[in-house]
Amino acid sequence: MEKTKQKECKGKQFRWSSPMERLMLKVLAEEASKGNKPSSRFKHGSLEKAAKAISEKFRVDCVPDHVENRLKTVKKTWTTIATLKEKAGFSWDANSRIIIAGKDEFDEEVSAHPSYEKFLNKKIEMYDEMALVVGKDFTPGCFAKSVGDIDMDDNKVDSVHVEEESSSAPSIQAAPSIQATPRKRNHSSISEDDQIKELSKQIGKMAKALKVISENQFVDVKKLFEEVMKCEGFSDDVLGSAFDFLVENEKQAKAFMVKTMNLRKSWLEGFESRMKN
């Protein structure tokens, strides 16, 4: 009887609304987090659960086939979002879930694709749920965070390499090992150990900063602008050009955000010198 009902409803027009889609994504995101999405497709029981929730809340006759068909639309939306995130001239704010586009880039994109306007310069609603439901590379069992913390789709970021341009920056590879063997220490050896300890602390701080950047995956463009403009002793033209350069060179932008103010100024002096040449 149930199969007959689903067959009849499959060809029946079912009008979806935004609240219905949000509820569907919420239910399926929870199902995915429980491991009920073993491949690119959900188990039938998960589709039934979403259909039942929609039917009860909105008093409609929703069946699993309706849910499965709607997922195809969501996948197309996700493909559009993923494409815009990687498009030249756009940047992705992972914290705010916003694809940032300048005025010229925005106008050009919306002129060519009016429907893309809703994805640019505004928070993408249900982004994390879509990442779980239709995003790529999701493996059941690896979900150890709440849905609101998820950003784990087709964005694969290489490990961060900090390109230090100042010789005053500590080198992790050059850090000497600390001997644990008891020995009699004179004044010079105590001073050497103190230097080693201080160097280890600096390395620890840098590693911690790198970890934070790696977890965020993307440079916060607004924060980067604020930090560049804090550097005193440089003209607005130099700072503006440096900011534009860092936006185009993500690895160096990440390195800049890790540096102390003195190292940032040293980098800017080098950048200003290259500009003049």
Side-chain angles (χ1 to χ4, degrees), residues 125-193:
E125 299 296 334
M126 306 299 288
Y127 176 90
D128 298 320
E129 287 81 359
M130 283 191 286
L132 278 172
V133 173
V134 296
K136 297 178 182 178
D137 303 327
F138 176 74
T139 304
C142 71
F143 180 72
K145 300 185 285 185
S146 66
V147 170
D149 295 328
I150 290 298
D151 186 11
M152 44 169 293
D153 50 292
D154 52 334
N155 301 314
K156 298 179 181 178
V157 181
D158 295 332
S159 57
V160 178
H161 299 282
V162 179
E163 300 174 1
E164 292 293 354
E165 299 182 18
S166 171
S167 59
S168 60
S171 171
I172 294 178
Q173 292 181 350
S177 60
I178 301 175
Q179 299 295 330
T181 306
R183 59 187 174 87
K184 185 176 180 179
R185 295 191 280 177
N186 55 29
H187 179 75
S188 61
S189 65
I190 291 174
S191 176
E192 181 182 345
D193 283 353

Side-chain angles (χ1 to χ4, degrees), residues 241-259:
S241 296
F243 169 73
D244 291 338
F245 174 82
L246 291 171
V247 170
E248 293 295 326
N249 297 271
E250 188 176 29
K251 286 185 179 180
Q252 294 206 40
K254 290 177 179 179
F256 183 88
M257 295 296 283
V258 174
K259 293 177 189 286

